[in-house]
Amino acid sequence: MDKFVIQGGKPLYGAVRISGAKNAALPVLAAALLVPGTCTFHNIPDLVDIKTIKKLLKNLGAEIEGSATVRINAEKITNAEAPYDLVKTMRASVLVLGPLVARRGEARVSLPGGCAIGARPVNLHIKALQDLGAHVTLKKGYIEARAKKLKGADIYFDIPTVTGTENIMMAAVLAEGTTVLNNAACEPEIINLADVLNGMGAKITGAGTDVITIDGVTSLQPVEASIIPDRIEAGTFMIAAGITRGEISILGCNPQHLEALINKLRDTGMSITSIAGGLKATGGERIKSVDIKTLPYPGFATDLQAQIMAYLSVGEGLSVITETVFENRFMHVSELMRMGADIVIQGGSAVVRGVPALHGAQTMATDLRASASLLLAALVAEGTTEISRVYHIDRGYQSIEKKFSALGADIKRVK
Ligand code: EPZ
């Protein structure tokens, strides 16, 4: 297993180009299952999770080629099963459920296990599929769904679930009649998916709001489309500029997707300005404390909570960070404390008391965004930090050590 070895203390300067969004590419690749033909998608990031979903789609009978540009031909779906050994490595595999039921009338998808950040049930996906008329049973850890023809329905999500909204949107595009998703998630990745589906001939309106209407069609055609930039990767580099008190031009990002973070970073004393092709983030003299509450989009992204905690841990005064989306997304706290951070968890909140400096330590990544948080802390910590189990970070960040080295960081990947 690889580890990162990082010497802290160097302000980062330069420009970084943001890759395509992992959480947009995953549902878009799954959507290709709906089309008996070849779809072409550009700006696909080179990540472990993308390799995983490609393996799963090939398992189902799709032919796939290419990396940054992917051509996927789902003419022949020879199998409707997403096996446990694949799904357990990536929960987002559940995104093949909706397309398979819509295209083939059946699906057998392993229940995704929990993960470090929470139980992460998929009960809302299942209930909504039943609302569309699918017969769904849970057998031996698998979701077994069947439907001769899905029927449009009025659906209400108890919680605005991102992949739940995506799964059901993909199921509903070939249903008979109209489906309305109420309390739908509003993330930019959902808009990207809806644009791709509409490009295939679907009739979806309202994506990006909490009410999405889908008028079912009888078939879909191949499409060529691009994946939006990764707002979480962009946010991670903005915070890197702040924590190292450097200045980074973040190219290819979409500032509109980052408004909650931009406002908070400005409140801490950073300067964030629009430049041609993206944003420029400049660290401030001081890091003033701010309170953070994670919420579904357009609120502050839970996927940036660990990263901003590392930043605030070397700020001034007290910052209260409240995580409202997942029940156990503070795994990075104990690792940050080993580097000298002063953080107390009280229920769903972490009270961060800024310290003058962190010190290097041996640490271990527990989940994708926690590992990004440790990397940010290591960039500013005095001395050497080792981060083990970096396979977590490879799932969601393309060539992260190369991108940080190009900005002046002293970071090495050690086998
Ligand atoms: C997506 O996960 C993202 N993953 C996550 O990113 C992200 O953290 C999350 O949305 C929230 O923004 C992908 O898009 C592949 P949810 P998802 O369904 O869809 C509860 C990363 O780092 N819930 O919006 O699984 C759930 O437990 C990953 O890239 C149910 O109770 O998240 C959570 O508390 C981590 N039942 C809340 O809803 C359900 O059926 C929001 O989860 C579904 C969800």
Side-chain angles (χ1 to χ4, degrees):
M1 270 190 274
D2 292 1
K3 68 180 176 185
F4 283 151
V5 179
I6 298 149
Q7 300 297 336
K10 297 173 180 55
L12 300 188
Y13 290 101
V16 64
R17 179 154 294 282
I18 298 302
S19 303
K22 165 178 83 82
N23 292 349
L26 292 170
V28 163
L29 289 169
L33 289 171
L34 293 163
V35 178
T38 299
C39 293
T40 303
F41 301 121
H42 301 288
N43 199 30
I44 299 283
D46 177 14
L47 301 171
V48 168
D49 275 7
I50 298 297
K51 292 185 175 64
T52 302
I53 198 160
K54 285 163 119 175
K55 207 184 319 176
L56 172 54
L57 293 169
K58 283 179 184 161
N59 208 313
L60 298 171
E63 288 156 21
I64 305 182
E65 57 176 32
S67 178
T69 289
V70 169
R71 270 170 303 287
I72 171 167
N73 179 354
E75 184 83 42
K76 291 188 294 300
I77 302 292
T78 55
N79 167 20
E81 175 159 324
Y84 175 66
D85 64 338
L86 270 180
V87 176
K88 75 173 185 289
T89 62
M90 184 184 67
R91 313 182 60 269
S93 309
V94 73
L95 284 166
V96 301
L97 178 62
L100 280 174
V101 179
R103 171 87 188 277
R104 249 178 86 93
E106 62 171 346
R108 185 166 188 270
V109 176
S110 165
L111 271 168
C115 73
I117 62 179
R120 303 191 67 186
V122 289
N123 57 313
L124 302 180
H125 301 231
I126 291 168
K127 179 181 176 306
L129 215 45
Q130 291 168 325
D131 292 346
L132 291 173
H135 177 71
V136 185
T137 50
L138 300 186
K139 258 191 220 146
K140 296 198 213 102
Y142 276 77
I143 304 165
E144 298 194 353
R146 270 191 321 287
K148 245 197 247 9
K149 182 79 176 160
L150 292 172
K151 300 228 175 344
D154 203 37
I155 289 169
Y156 178 79
F157 284 115
D158 295 354
I159 304 172
T161 155
V162 175
T163 48
T165 301
E166 292 164 346
N167 230 337
I168 301 307
M169 205 157 71
M170 293 190 279
V173 291
L174 291 174
E176 215 163 75
T178 299
T179 297
V180 180
L181 304 184
N182 301 285
N183 199 25
C186 304
E187 272 67 7
E189 292 74 30
I190 288 171
I191 300 175
N192 198 182
L193 176 62
D195 290 346
V196 167
L197 290 168
N198 284 337
M200 294 173 173
K203 290 191 173 53
I204 302 170
T205 52
T209 75
D210 60 354
V211 180
I212 300 177
T213 303
I214 302 129
D215 290 321
V217 295
T218 49
S219 68
L220 296 170
Q221 292 73 41
V223 71
E224 178 166 2
S226 283
I227 299 299
I228 58 172
D230 193 316
R231 60 195 166 96
I232 306 304
E233 184 192 24
T236 304
F237 280 102
M238 288 164 68
I239 294 169
I243 201 169
T244 63
R245 290 173 179 68
E247 181 166 274
I248 303 177
S249 295
I250 294 148
L251 305 176
C253 72
N254 181 339
Q256 278 181 321
H257 297 164
L258 287 151
E259 282 176 5
L261 177 68
I262 290 169
N263 285 310
K264 281 298 174 185
L265 292 180
R266 282 179 175 150
D267 289 350
T268 65
M270 279 186 73
S271 141
I272 314 274
T273 52
S274 285
I275 57 171
L279 284 173
K280 183 163 74 174
T282 310
E285 283 309 302
R286 308 166 41 207
I287 299 176
K288 288 178 246 159
S289 58
V290 289
D291 293 340
I292 301 282
K293 183 172 192 177
T294 68
L295 284 167
Y297 192 90
F300 191 93
T302 173
D303 290 352
L304 287 167
Q305 179 258 103
Q307 296 93 313
I308 202 158
M309 186 184 288
Y311 172 60
L312 294 171
S313 70
V314 287
E316 297 168 1
L318 273 184
S319 298
V320 179
I321 299 179
T322 303
E323 171 60 58
T324 72
V325 177
F326 289 108
E327 67 269 27
N328 181 34
R329 199 168 200 174
F330 285 142
M331 304 287 280
H332 41 286
V333 169
S334 46
E335 295 302 296
L336 290 172
M337 288 169 74
R338 298 186 57 249
M339 298 175 73
D342 179 351
I343 305 169
V344 174
I345 295 179
Q346 289 170 350
S349 293
V351 180
V352 181
R353 193 188 309 272
V355 294
L358 297 176
H359 48 77
Q362 284 180 310
T363 65
M364 183 178 80
T366 53
D367 64 87
L368 168 54
R369 306 304 173 183
S371 33
S373 161
L374 296 178
L375 199 159
L376 291 169
L379 292 173
V380 74
E382 288 160 357
T384 307
T385 299
E386 292 188 2
I387 305 175
S388 61
R389 302 192 179 183
V390 292
Y391 59 82
H392 285 294
I393 211 161
D394 292 333
R395 293 189 47 185
Y397 288 91
Q398 180 172 331
S399 327
I400 191 146
E401 77 273 20
K402 293 194 187 83
K403 290 182 176 177
F404 272 115
S405 303
L407 294 167
D410 180 345
I411 176 171
K412 288 182 188 54
R413 179 187 289 258
V414 173
K415 289 284 167 214

